[in-house]
Amino acid sequence: MASSAAPISDSLKKIWDQWNLRSFIMLSLTLQTFLILFAPLRKRSSSKWVIVPIWLAYLLADWAANFAIGLIASSQTNTDQGSPENGNLLAFWAPFLLLHLGGPDTIIAIAMEDNALWPRHLLGLIFQVVAAMYVFGMQFSNQNKLLWPTLFLFVPGLVKYGERTRALYLASLESLKETILAVPEPGPDYAKYMDEYSSRKAAHLPIKIEIKEGRSSDSKNVTYRLGEGDVIDNITLVEGAHHLFQISMGLIIDLVFDYHQRKESRAYFIKLESGDAFTSIATELNFMYEALYTKVYVVHSRRGYLLRATSFIAVCIAFVFFYRLEKHGFHSFDVGITYSLLFGAVALDSIALSMLILSDWTIAVVYKYCKKCCVVTDLMMKYLEFKRSWRPTTPPKCLERTRKILFRRWCESVSGFNFIDYSLRECGRSVVRPVYRFGIFEIYRTVIRFLGYLYHRIIIFLGHLYLRIIKFFGLKYLRDEMKYRSSKRLDENLWKFIFDELKSKSSEVADDPKIGREICSSQGDWVLLKKYEKHPEYKNLLACFVDVTYDRRILMWHIATEMCYYRVDTGNGGEHGEYSKTLSDYLLYLLIMQPALMSSVAGIGQKRFRDTVAEAKKFFKKGRVGSNVNLGEGKLGEACYKLLDVDTGVKPVNVKGNRSKSVLFDACILAKQLMKFEDSKWELISSVWVELLSYAASHCRAQSHAQLLTKGGELVTFVWLLMARFGIEEDIQVLEVQARVKLIMEKQPDVFQSN
């Protein structure tokens, strides 16, 4: 019986056996270089074109290094591996792969869930070290010319892999809880006190109980050192952010600030200008990102500095050994790969060192010892001023572009999603059927019209086919985000407006927990009550707030804001109109395109959005608003006018029932109510949007905020931390007191005191 031909020829097998290990070695080095250079862009960009390649490189890096170690281990038992020198060289490559498995300093995890997998990395460390030692043991002999360089390279390999495992452990929620939670406080010895009390009472001795309030032992050690000086400069902001960051990490595990922490941060932020507060929060979030997703927590310590210096020296010694080694018997190509690995190890450590020196962590630590050195202080000040988002003078374009790519702390932009624009563009093209006429010239025109009609029908068919395909694979969400998501730079005046609104509310909170809870739970009605209670249309507008869930409120106010914004006769509202427009688009973007963040407050937001889009598309197609695919403000304005022309004398629920969750015409009613406020309309709308943003910021899970740091950051996270700094929280701890109880005998002044 004839044997069937092998699917892979012997020549391909030979090529694979010869080049597989070398290819994966170079792939591993390339991925490490890519990650150390481009992984920091995760905190500076929200673009999918940046995040997805980093995600793929992160996953491929471990796989390539593990696979290469397996190939080296299997090659040691291969009798056809070539000369002994070749086997020694393969053993010399194994510690490099341990170095690569340790990963670059700029990324240890893609998401917070990866930190919880530190036991898996610990097992991986053990097994990969055993495999590398097995490879080394197979080549251990006096004839091995690479014996000492290989031993030296095991040092940085173990250090880097160990650093990664420890960094993952320290960033896990279990470790954070153990580190951040205070020492247990059992309080006074109640049993001892009651024994004393009972014995004296049983002896019929006259006793008197005296209770005094006092501060706890922990609170006595609190020092309000933030903002002690009159001048708050960039270095002071970094120092303050570093101090506050260590407190803010407790928010990740759902702790709240105690009385003294809240008082300290609130007193500090009340003194700051809006721009300085923004810089402080950006720096604090940058510390948080690096603590959760990089090795910085492990490296920035005396032990970390010592181990990093030791590993760098070991790599340099191995490099010198190999450079001075007689390379007779080695393949020239393999020698080139080895030099690439050595150069790569030195270069990657040098890049990591430069990033370490330029980090905010180094500035916060070094400045304590260099305050009297004017040269160092001036350099730090200029560098930190260069990193600020907003500066009084406009820098050259090349410097600004460099800052955005390498030094900015977050993406510095606000995303947006527009409901009316989305509905109009999803309506698609309206194709007009050609009118057939007969005549010498009319036949030619009719043919041209028919061909155009046929072309448009084909395009529409292909579009429908494309949508069905991406829906089948579940990619429509990704397509909508890439197509309809807009982005604009965060305006300094908009941040100042948000800052001032929250600052004014913080003065009302003070030490009253009840007011704090009311402000945090408010979704726009607080502003209406405090500022517009005497307005004649107050009660009519307040009716739009009754029994309206958060997701319904965002969608209604977004559509109503669009209608007011595109009314030509009333204007776009100046600065407050632009604030309202930006925040309106941003909140809808969070609701629809950040479902993981808004899951705790969104309700049935996705269902409500789809029903409203369906009703809008039906209305626009009927009114032929979306017949032109080239949309602009004129087309959006036309759509808003047609919506406002609809008679809304009867509530939509009384006509349609509650089967459909659409709020399209409820938003029309709201828009008409808002227009009655005339000159104060935009101040009201912008303040309501700040409240809606504050509600989202305070009610989203802290871990979701931390996850957003890996996607360029979001404005809602800045607002979340700003509210915490101002003390605007639902759970506010009152002053910690510890009772001081004395049992006093009237005749014998014997005092028992429990502290």
Side-chain angles (χ1 to χ4, degrees):
M1 184 175 181
S3 61
S4 60
I8 301 178
S9 62
D10 292 338
S11 58
L12 290 178
K13 289 182 180 179
K14 186 175 181 180
I15 293 174
W16 168 256
D17 293 338
Q18 186 175 0
W19 292 101
N20 55 5
L21 175 58
R22 294 160 179 83
S23 300
F24 279 96
I25 287 282
M26 295 308 297
L27 175 62
S28 179
L29 178 61
T30 302
L31 292 172
Q32 294 299 314
T33 306
F34 176 84
L35 286 174
I36 198 169
L37 293 176
F38 295 101
L41 295 181
R42 288 202 306 160
K43 64 180 179 182
R44 302 187 183 112
S45 175
S46 57
S47 173
K48 297 291 184 183
W49 300 107
V50 173
I51 295 174
V52 172
I54 295 173
W55 173 72
L56 289 174
Y58 173 81
L59 296 180
L60 288 174
D62 285 354
W63 171 76
N66 285 322
F67 190 73
I69 287 182
L71 290 175
I72 293 176
S74 64
S75 68
Q76 300 303 308
T77 58
N78 187 2
T79 57
D80 298 329
Q81 65 178 348
S83 62
E85 289 80 3
N86 188 46
N88 296 338
L89 193 61
L90 295 183
F92 185 54
W93 289 352
F96 283 106
L97 295 170
L98 287 180
L99 200 65
H100 295 173
L101 284 171
D105 291 356
T106 54
I107 182 172
I108 59 168
I110 288 291
M112 286 196 65
E113 292 78 9
D114 295 336
N115 296 326
L117 300 178
W118 67 268
R120 178 186 298 179
H121 285 272
L122 180 60
L123 288 177
L125 169 62
I126 296 172
F127 286 117
Q128 296 302 335
V129 168
V130 170
M133 294 300 294
Y134 165 76
V135 172
F136 177 71
M138 293 292 291
Q139 298 296 326
F140 188 85
S141 65
N142 294 330
Q143 288 76 27
N144 187 353
K145 296 185 290 184
L146 295 172
L147 178 63
W148 286 106
T150 306
L151 283 175
F152 276 109
L153 275 178
F154 268 105
V155 175
L158 292 174
V159 168
K160 288 293 184 69
Y161 209 159
E163 282 180 346
R164 182 182 184 183
T165 305
R166 178 162 175 77
L168 287 169
Y169 166 71
L170 292 177
S172 63
L173 294 180
E174 293 80 3
S175 176
L176 288 176
K177 290 178 182 178
E178 291 294 328
T179 305
I180 297 172
L181 290 177
V183 177
E185 176 59 65
D189 193 341
Y190 176 78
K192 181 179 179 182
Y193 163 77
M194 290 306 299
D195 288 342
E196 183 76 14
Y197 178 80
S198 300
S199 62
R200 294 190 181 189
K201 189 175 181 181
H204 302 287
L205 295 175
I207 58 175
K208 182 175 66 174
I209 301 176
E210 182 178 336
I211 301 177
K212 295 183 179 180
E213 293 184 351
R215 291 176 62 181
S216 65
S217 57
D218 291 338
S219 64
K220 292 178 182 179
N221 299 324
V222 175
T223 57
Y224 300 98
R225 69 173 190 83
L226 284 177
E228 289 181 349
D230 296 331
V231 179
I232 298 180
D233 53 25
N234 290 321
I235 297 180
T236 306
L237 291 175
V238 172
E239 280 192 305
H242 184 262
H243 174 73
L244 292 173
F245 142 76
Q246 301 175 56
I247 302 173
S248 299
M249 290 299 289
L251 298 175
I252 304 298
I253 57 174
D254 298 325
L255 290 180
V256 296
F257 297 151
D258 62 30
Y259 175 82
H260 301 286
Q261 291 171 344
R262 177 173 168 267
K263 182 178 179 180
E264 180 184 20
S265 63
R266 185 173 180 274
Y268 176 58
F269 264 72
I270 287 293
K271 294 166 45 177
L272 295 180
E273 298 293 333
S274 60
D276 291 338
F278 182 86
T279 301
S280 177
I281 292 175
T283 307
E284 192 174 342
L285 291 176
N286 186 54
F287 284 136
M288 190 179 295
Y289 166 83
E290 292 181 340
L292 293 174
Y293 303 107
T294 72
K295 291 183 182 179
V296 70
Y297 230 12
V298 175
V299 176
H300 278 282
S301 63
R302 293 183 179 180
R303 182 186 302 173
Y305 297 147
L306 179 61
L307 290 176
R308 185 53 57 91
T310 303
S311 63
F312 183 75
I313 293 172
V315 172
C316 293
I317 293 174
F319 187 97
V320 173
F321 263 109
F322 187 77
Y323 177 76
R324 301 182 62 182
L325 184 69
E326 176 61 40
K327 300 173 184 62
H328 179 72
F330 296 124
H331 295 301
S332 59
F333 188 80
D334 291 344
V335 172
I337 290 178
T338 307
Y339 272 122
S340 298
L341 292 172
L342 288 167
F343 275 118
V346 174
L348 294 180
D349 276 355
S350 301
I351 294 172
L353 179 61
S354 64
M355 291 181 175
L356 183 70
I357 294 173
L358 295 174
S359 68
D360 293 331
W361 292 78
T362 303
I363 292 175
V365 173
V366 171
Y367 182 67
K368 297 178 182 179
Y369 308 100
C370 302
K371 290 184 178 180
K372 297 181 180 180
C373 182
C374 298
V375 177
V376 175
T377 302
D378 290 342
L379 289 175
M380 288 181 179
M381 290 289 292
K382 291 179 180 179
Y383 173 63
L384 293 175
E385 182 66 24
F386 174 68
K387 293 179 70 173
R388 287 180 70 109
S389 298
W390 303 303
R391 283 170 283 172
T393 58
T394 304
K397 290 185 178 180
C398 58
L399 289 179
E400 181 63 15
R401 191 175 293 112
T402 302
R403 185 194 71 84
K404 288 183 177 181
I405 296 175
L406 298 178
F407 297 107
R408 64 178 175 176
R409 297 183 175 99
W410 77 300
C411 66
E412 300 180 353
S413 62
V414 180
S415 299
F417 178 65
N418 189 281
F419 171 83
I420 295 180
D421 175 68
Y422 174 81
S423 301
L424 287 172
R425 293 168 69 179
E426 284 292 295
C427 283
R429 297 175 182 265
S430 296
V431 182
V432 180
R433 292 180 179 272
V435 179
Y436 299 101
R437 298 177 181 175
F438 299 96
I440 297 176
F441 297 102
E442 295 296 336
I443 293 177
Y444 174 75
R445 294 179 181 176
T446 301
V447 171
I448 296 300
R449 292 194 190 101
F450 176 76
L451 291 177
Y453 168 76
L454 186 62
Y455 168 77
H456 287 300
R457 295 299 299 179
I458 293 174
I459 293 298
I460 291 175
F461 171 77
L462 293 177
H464 285 302
L465 181 62
Y466 162 72
L467 286 177
R468 288 197 174 194
I469 292 174
I470 63 174
K471 284 181 179 179
F472 177 78
F473 288 103
L475 299 176
K476 188 177 185 300
Y477 166 77
L478 181 62
R479 170 254 188 187
D480 287 346
E481 182 177 358
M482 298 180 69
K483 183 177 181 180
Y484 296 110
R485 171 184 168 270
S486 62
S487 181
K488 61 186 297 187
R489 181 176 171 83
L490 176 63
D491 184 64
E492 183 177 5
N493 293 327
L494 173 58
W495 170 256
K496 186 178 184 304
F497 174 69
I498 296 172
F499 179 83
D500 292 339
E501 287 281 314
L502 294 177
K503 186 176 181 179
S504 64
K505 290 181 180 179
S506 71
S507 61
E508 299 186 25
V509 173
D511 295 328
D512 191 343
K514 182 179 179 181
I515 298 179
R517 284 190 289 269
E518 289 178 359
I519 292 178
C520 285
S521 61
S522 175
Q523 302 177 20
D525 40 352
W526 175 274
V527 171
L528 194 61
L529 176 65
K530 290 295 182 179
K531 297 182 179 180
Y532 301 93
E533 185 177 8
K534 297 182 180 179
H535 196 280
E537 296 295 330
Y538 166 74
K539 292 185 178 180
N540 293 330
L541 184 60
L542 187 63
C544 298
F545 286 83
V546 178
D547 297 330
V548 179
T549 58
Y550 182 73
D551 58 296
R552 178 186 176 93
R553 191 167 302 194
I554 286 183
L555 198 51
M556 283 177 56
W557 276 84
H558 172 82
I559 300 173
T561 302
E562 290 295 300
M563 294 179 186
C564 295
Y565 185 81
Y566 288 110
R567 278 293 298 266
V568 179
D569 55 337
T570 59
N572 289 348
E575 283 191 346
H576 285 276
E578 294 300 324
Y579 301 159
S580 303
K581 170 68 174 171
T582 301
L583 294 178
S584 169
D585 291 349
Y586 180 63
L587 263 296
L588 189 65
Y589 160 78
L590 292 180
L591 180 67
I592 303 304
M593 296 187 175
Q594 293 289 350
L597 174 69
M598 304 288 281
S599 60
S600 58
V601 295
I604 57 171
Q606 295 288 336
K607 166 66 174 172
R608 198 181 307 280
F609 173 76
R610 292 184 180 185
D611 289 353
T612 309
V613 168
E615 187 173 22
K617 289 166 66 175
K618 181 179 179 181
F619 175 80
F620 293 148
K621 285 182 178 179
K622 182 179 178 181
R624 301 184 62 80
V625 180
S627 60
N628 186 1
V629 76
N630 298 317
L631 298 177
E633 289 195 2
K635 189 60 62 176
L636 294 174
E638 179 187 350
C640 292
Y641 269 96
K642 286 187 175 292
L643 285 170
L644 287 172
D645 286 341
V646 176
D647 185 3
T648 53
V650 180
K651 290 185 177 181
V653 68
N654 296 332
V655 178
K656 302 186 303 177
N658 59 1
R659 181 176 181 181
S660 174
K661 304 301 179 182
S662 174
V663 297
L664 181 63
F665 294 105
D666 297 277
C668 294
I669 297 174
L670 175 60
K672 293 175 182 178
Q673 288 292 337
L674 290 172
M675 289 177 185
K676 295 178 181 179
F677 279 73
E678 298 178 352
D679 296 338
S680 59
K681 172 176 74 269
W682 287 113
E683 287 78 1
L684 167 62
I685 295 175
S686 57
S687 297
V688 168
W689 278 118
V690 171
E691 278 204 6
L692 291 172
L693 177 61
S694 303
Y695 183 87
S698 61
H699 286 79
C700 294
R701 298 180 63 225
Q703 295 177 30
S704 299
H705 284 293
Q707 184 61 41
L708 287 178
L709 299 177
T710 65
K711 301 176 182 178
E714 290 287 355
L715 176 62
V716 67
T717 304
F718 279 73
V719 175
W720 163 66
L721 202 53
L722 180 63
M723 293 178 67
R725 292 289 162 233
F726 276 140
I728 305 175
E729 302 172 291
E730 286 190 322
D731 298 323
I732 299 178
Q733 291 191 12
V734 297
L735 177 63
E736 297 174 0
V737 295
Q738 185 175 9
R740 297 170 58 87
V741 182
K742 294 183 178 181
L743 300 180
I744 303 176
M745 296 181 62
E746 294 182 355
K747 295 182 179 180
Q748 300 177 359
D750 182 20
V751 180
F752 168 77
Q753 178 176 338
S754 64
N755 293 322

